[in-house]
Amino acid sequence: MAEELAAPLTIEEVTRLRADFPILSREMNGQPLIYLDSGATSQTPQCVWDAEQQFYESFNAAVHRGAHSLAVEATDLYEEARATVARFIGASERELVWTSNATEALNLIAYSFSNASLGRGGDAAMPFRLGPGDEILTTEIEHHANLLPWQELAARTGATFRYVPVLADGSIDYDAAAHLVGPRTKIFAFTHVSNVLGVVTDVARLVALAKGVGAFTVLDACQSTPHMKLDVKALDVDFATFSGHKMLGPTGIGGLYGRAELLDVMPPFLVGGSMITKVTMEGAEYLPAPTRFEAGTQRISQTIALTAAVNYLDEVGLDRIAAWEHQLGQQLVDGLSQIPGVRVLGPTGVPRIGVAAFDVEGVHPHDVGQYLDSVGIAIRVGHHCAQPLHRKLGLAATSRASTYLYSLPSEVDELVRRVAEVRPFFGLS
Ligand code: PLP
């Protein structure tokens, strides 16, 4: 990870920036809140909701419709937001489609392929047509959001759904991937970072395999965009998806990156207002991307709030955040691994973000979560929307701690101290 070369944030800097997140000074169950569930959703700095409020106070109007000045101002802000966030991920503004979240972005791609397979989009959409004999490939490590859209797409088109297995330690079997990618592969969808294990995928290796056979690549960048510098062009993927609420932004906003030449000819998924050049009672012609994928009244205030979030991240510095979280992740893994009866899941010695999934022998993860909650610590328990991965690891559920730029080493220490109390608390030695 190039990010490791940057100087990490310092405790003084993190202590200072925590003041921007009022929720972090809350108490929970009589203890100072320790929020270690940023993998599920991040906390938002005040500037994010200030930006949203300012939009409603001074600029609220429907975009890309009205001719009045307020609508023009709102449209300008909406498109400036697109330009800022596109730049943040290394794309151009016509390559960023706003969606509600990563889940919708992934479904958008799948439904577009589905519509192309029905003949929609004409000859230009031919490359997106799927049918029997074609293969859609994903991996066993995926979040359900990057699994179910492909299973459904296969069911709708008659294509075959296949997946790259994970090894016993939960890492992607890259050798198996090399065998599974072949001339029939049309789509290869994989995650950038596992939401359960925090392990970073070797994207270059998988992209090279897909490119070798002319398959489209889809990168689920939901867990990477918040924590490391994402450059979609350098990664050379065809599509990438992310969610704003995991990167200091509000809920209800996410994005789909797609290469301009692909987005312009893919058939739309949702249809309706604001995405056409012409409508007759017989049919319609659609605007170019990204507008052709944004039917209906857009998510306006959310894009403006997300812009405040990415400006904040830029100001702190993604490379420094990545280095800080790399340290916290190491501290998490080292600390938890030393507790008798606690097993940290996933491979060791590979790049990972500040995420650790762990199993406390003899104690159900929900009991672990409840015990930690009773002492003010918020973590995630369950299957984390990755049931196939858990099945492979031989567990129905795990406990997961995940950090962000505002997390402190002292909080990780406290988590480790409290996890060490769990087995004795439940009468296990
Ligand atoms: N992909 C990964 C790796 C995730 O961690 C998540 C959410 O946890 C998603 C996709 C789906 O994100 P959302 O629920 O915001 O659509």
Side-chain angles (χ1 to χ4, degrees):
M1 276 159 75
E3 293 80 9
E4 288 170 40
L5 299 174
L9 300 173
T10 62
I11 291 194
E12 293 70 32
E13 285 172 306
V14 174
T15 306
R16 244 189 336 266
L17 69 79
R18 282 172 66 90
D20 299 330
F21 297 79
I23 202 169
L24 296 178
S25 50
R26 264 203 71 174
E27 288 205 340
M28 195 55 68
N29 298 320
Q31 304 282 338
L33 170 67
I34 294 183
Y35 186 75
L36 289 171
D37 196 16
S38 292
T41 200
S42 64
Q43 297 302 343
T44 44
Q46 177 134 14
C47 62
V48 167
W49 71 81
D50 280 351
E52 191 152 4
Q53 183 175 337
Q54 203 195 355
F55 173 78
Y56 281 114
E57 273 174 6
S58 307
F59 300 102
N60 186 29
V63 302
H64 285 303
R65 285 169 172 76
H68 57 81
S69 300
L70 200 56
V72 172
E73 284 180 10
T75 304
D76 285 348
L77 284 174
Y78 180 70
E79 291 304 330
E80 277 165 28
R82 193 195 306 279
T84 304
V85 177
R87 209 166 34 244
F88 183 75
I89 60 166
S92 73
E93 56 245 52
R94 52 190 288 253
E95 295 176 311
L96 176 62
V97 177
W98 294 122
T99 61
S100 298
N101 48 35
T103 303
E104 187 186 301
L106 289 159
N107 276 277
L108 189 161
I109 308 168
Y111 271 99
S112 183
F113 273 81
S114 200
N115 288 343
S117 307
L118 292 171
R120 306 301 299 158
D123 287 351
M126 194 87 89
F128 309 109
R129 286 192 197 159
L130 296 175
D134 292 328
E135 293 179 359
I136 304 165
L137 188 63
T138 181
T139 85
E140 206 175 9
I141 207 170
E142 303 304 318
H143 187 285
H144 298 164
N146 197 27
L147 198 57
L148 305 189
W150 309 120
Q151 289 179 348
E152 290 289 328
L153 176 61
R156 285 195 300 272
T157 58
T160 303
F161 172 83
R162 305 190 78 182
Y163 64 90
V164 178
V166 293
L167 299 168
D169 66 0
S171 48
I172 291 174
D173 185 343
Y174 290 95
D175 292 336
H179 287 108
L180 282 158
V181 175
R184 290 169 184 272
T185 313
K186 288 289 174 300
I187 300 172
F188 190 7
F190 49 86
T191 194
H192 196 177
V193 173
S194 160
N195 65 307
V196 178
L197 306 175
V199 171
V200 183
T201 303
D202 186 344
V203 176
R205 200 163 162 187
L206 298 186
V207 167
L209 290 174
K211 276 184 155 305
V213 297
F216 293 108
T217 46
V218 178
L219 186 71
D220 175 359
C222 216
Q223 293 289 347
S224 55
T225 317
H227 304 285
M228 60 181 70
K229 188 74 201 148
L230 181 74
D231 184 338
V232 290
K233 296 290 178 195
L235 292 173
D236 206 12
V237 289
D238 294 313
F239 301 98
T241 60
F242 61 90
S243 280
H245 70 93
K246 292 189 196 283
M247 47 194 282
L248 309 186
T251 50
I253 186 71
L256 162 65
Y257 157 77
R259 282 190 206 281
E261 65 273 23
L262 301 180
L263 288 183
D264 274 346
V265 289
M266 279 168 56
F269 157 43
L270 292 173
V271 290
S274 273
M275 43 81 76
I276 51 85
T277 51
K278 182 180 170 191
V279 176
T280 65
M281 292 316 288
E282 285 72 43
E285 287 166 19
Y286 301 119
L287 283 162
T291 322
R292 64 163 49 201
F293 295 107
E294 293 176 2
T297 302
Q298 296 84 346
R299 305 153 187 91
I300 312 164
S301 63
Q302 294 94 326
T303 64
I304 284 145
L306 180 60
T307 303
V310 306
N311 286 339
Y312 188 96
L313 288 171
D314 261 343
E315 216 166 286
V316 178
L318 250 300
D319 288 355
R320 298 196 62 212
I321 293 170
W324 176 247
E325 288 203 77
H326 178 73
Q327 285 182 356
L328 292 171
Q330 205 55 54
Q331 189 192 345
L332 262 178
V333 172
D334 291 348
L336 291 169
S337 310
Q338 277 163 25
I339 305 171
V342 173
R343 180 163 65 104
V344 177
L345 300 159
T348 50
V350 294
R352 63 155 83 208
I353 62 167
V355 170
F358 57 97
D359 180 53
V360 181
E361 199 186 340
V363 185
H364 193 281
H366 283 126
D367 291 332
V368 175
Q370 257 177 17
Y371 180 76
L372 294 175
D373 183 52
S374 74
V375 293
I377 303 176
I379 61 155
R380 171 97 188 257
V381 294
H383 53 66
H384 320 306
C385 301
Q387 282 189 352
L389 173 64
H390 276 81
R391 210 164 285 125
K392 190 64 169 268
L393 294 169
L395 296 163
T398 51
S399 306
R400 181 190 72 182
S402 51
T403 67
Y404 207 1
L405 73 164
Y406 40 67
S407 303
L408 288 165
S410 56
E411 294 183 310
V412 173
D413 280 344
E414 182 62 6
L415 171 85
V416 171
R417 188 173 82 80
R418 293 301 194 174
V419 171
E421 292 176 351
V422 169
R423 277 173 49 87
F425 180 81
F426 285 98
L428 301 166
S429 53

